[in-house]
């Protein structure tokens, strides 16, 4: 059996990594959605943090997942969330320590997936256009 092209092996590694990240990301998101939404809706799901159209649209699936992403960012990385969506929020969040850890893991997984997506489409696209 001959040797494989190193660029192809690297792209296979990127694709497999994205599949593993997706297998971790989606279940953690579902768990956090079920945990955070009932606890934080009364405190945060109102104006001025959400627009009136968002208050209406984010009540049902699948757009309610976007609401939970906002909560995940607020719990996991509050300085960014308070600069963007939750300006002026000074209250205490009623979440457990494990939820904060899971939110930070979720954000880290999203950032790693973003880097892998840039590698796949940037480097893989370059390879598809100029090498193949």
């Amino acid at each position: 059996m001959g040797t494989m092209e190193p660029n192809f092996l690297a792209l296979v590694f990127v694709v497999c990594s994205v599949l593993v990240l997706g297998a971790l990301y989606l279940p953690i998101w579902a768990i956090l959605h079920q945990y955070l939404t009932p606890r934080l809706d009364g405190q945060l799901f109102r104006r001025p943090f959400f627009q009136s159209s968002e208050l209406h649209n984010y009540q049902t699936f699948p757009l309610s997942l976007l609401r939970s992403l906002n909560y995940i960012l607020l719990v996991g990385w509050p300085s960014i969330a308070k600069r963007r969506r939750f300006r002026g929020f000074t209250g205490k969040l009623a979440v457990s320590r494990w939820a904060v850890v899971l939110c930070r893991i979720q954000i880290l997984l999203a950032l790693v997936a973003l880097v892998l997506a840039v590698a796949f489409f940037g480097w893989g696209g370059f390879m598809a256009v100029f090498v193949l």
Side-chain angles (χ1 to χ4, degrees):
M1 182 178 232
T3 61
M4 295 186 92
E5 176 70 29
N7 290 323
F8 175 74
L9 287 176
L11 282 176
V12 168
F13 173 75
V14 168
V15 169
C16 291
S17 299
V18 167
L19 291 174
V20 169
L21 283 175
L24 294 172
Y25 184 85
L26 293 175
I28 293 173
W29 188 7
I31 291 167
L32 287 171
H33 176 73
Q34 293 297 322
Y35 178 79
L36 293 176
T37 303
R39 283 173 175 72
L40 300 179
D41 271 353
Q43 191 175 12
L44 296 172
F45 193 55
R46 59 182 171 80
R47 292 191 57 83
F49 304 126
F50 290 90
Q51 298 174 6
S52 58
S53 61
E54 292 173 330
L55 291 173
H56 176 68
N57 291 331
Y58 286 6
Q59 290 180 3
T60 57
F61 183 82
L63 293 178
S64 63
L65 295 173
L66 295 175
R67 177 180 63 194
S68 66
L69 280 179
N70 286 304
Y71 294 161
I72 289 168
L73 188 62
L74 178 65
V75 172
W77 201 349
S79 62
I80 295 292
K82 287 180 181 178
R83 234 185 311 159
R84 296 271 179 166
R85 176 169 296 271
F86 298 105
R87 278 187 209 143
F89 177 71
T90 57
K92 179 139 173 71
L93 299 174
V95 294
S96 64
R97 191 76 167 141
W98 70 267
V100 174
V101 171
L102 274 180
C103 287
R104 289 180 180 163
I105 290 171
Q106 185 79 351
I107 293 169
L108 179 66
L109 288 173
L111 292 175
V112 170
L114 178 65
V115 169
L116 289 173
V118 168
F120 179 77
F121 289 109
W123 179 39
F126 177 81
M127 297 266 303
V129 171
F130 295 109
V131 175
L132 298 176

